[in-house]
Amino acid sequence: MRRANEANREKFVKAAVSELEEHGASDFSIRRVARRCGLSCAAPYKHFESREALMLEVIRYINHKWDAIRNDTVQAYEKASPKEKIVAVCMAYLTFLCTYPEYQTILFMNDRLFPVEVVEEKGRLSTAIDGLISEYCQSVAMPDEVRARKQYVICSLLCGTAMMVNSGAIPFESQTIARMKTHIEREFELA
């Protein structure tokens, strides 16, 4: 019975991802989520106390997927230089956003449409890259304003590229990834 409950819970989360992607946070309907799962409109409430709790679970689900990828990447680059580690994590993040465009849609939605707990959980996704950038900048004694600029530029490059790929403006191919990698590496050569 426990496995069935976990399976239904995951089914609701995946359906909620589609619901958020299609209708956004302001028109998010737990009834439509249940309908997508072929279950009664009361069924989601056996797993989630409210639509906000289900939205929070969606963000946690996305973060969990990213955490696994990020941790594998950090582990694979454990002995690499801080710069190589940052670049590898950035490339993994870009690949994550391009592989799961529905997650990108949700993560880039207007935060005013989500409850505070959901916004806080959404913010956790980028903290790993920000932390690696801060660590690198401290290790080479870069001033805080330079670190802040690097975080802004790298985040802009990653998110902008992912948005362009997912809109079809540029292809998601090895050349795009190589170009992005070059730009990020270059950012760490600049003071």
Side-chain angles (χ1 to χ4, degrees):
M1 183 68 168
R2 184 170 167 84
R3 278 202 171 138
N5 283 338
E6 288 175 22
N8 277 344
R9 185 176 175 87
E10 186 166 347
K11 188 188 294 187
F12 286 128
V13 170
K14 288 179 178 180
V17 167
S18 298
E19 173 69 14
L20 280 167
E21 181 184 28
E22 198 173 308
H23 295 280
S26 62
D27 193 30
F28 180 80
S29 166
I30 208 160
R31 284 181 180 269
R32 282 193 301 260
V33 169
R35 195 175 316 127
R36 287 175 191 263
C37 296
L39 297 168
S40 76
C41 60
Y45 292 103
K46 294 177 184 174
H47 303 278
F48 308 98
E49 64 184 46
S50 64
R51 70 190 282 276
E52 290 78 14
L54 179 52
M55 281 194 259
L56 180 60
E57 192 60 31
V58 166
I59 302 302
R60 286 182 177 151
Y61 177 81
I62 294 168
N63 281 344
H64 177 73
K65 285 199 168 282
W66 165 239
D67 287 346
I69 293 167
R70 185 199 68 229
N71 290 341
D72 288 348
T73 305
V74 168
Q75 189 173 29
Y77 284 82
E78 185 177 18
K79 297 188 188 301
S81 72
K83 178 180 164 183
E84 291 171 324
K85 190 183 298 183
I86 293 168
V87 171
V89 170
C90 287
M91 295 301 92
Y93 187 59
L94 177 63
T95 301
F96 177 75
L97 291 175
C98 293
T99 303
Y100 301 103
E102 65 276 17
Y103 298 168
Q104 178 188 346
T105 300
I106 294 166
L107 294 170
F108 293 171
M109 283 181 184
N110 188 330
D111 284 344
R112 291 179 302 196
L113 302 175
F114 288 103
V116 173
E117 303 84 24
V118 175
V119 173
E120 289 171 356
E121 189 68 21
K122 276 176 63 181
R124 204 173 64 71
L125 193 71
S126 63
T127 57
I129 293 173
D130 289 346
L132 289 171
I133 293 169
S134 290
E135 183 182 307
Y136 172 79
C137 291
Q138 287 175 352
S139 75
V140 295
M142 283 188 190
D144 284 343
E145 62 272 2
V146 174
R147 177 199 45 79
R149 182 182 58 79
K150 288 192 181 308
Q151 287 173 319
Y152 175 79
V153 169
I154 290 170
C155 182
S156 297
L157 285 168
L158 293 170
C159 295
T161 301
M163 290 174 84
M164 291 171 70
V165 165
N166 292 334
S167 73
I170 59 175
F172 185 52
E173 59 189 20
S174 59
Q175 186 179 9
T176 303
I177 294 171
R179 190 176 301 127
M180 178 56 56
K181 184 177 180 190
T182 299
H183 289 303
I184 291 173
E185 287 172 337
R186 185 171 171 262
E187 185 59 34
F188 286 101
E189 294 166 5
L190 304 172

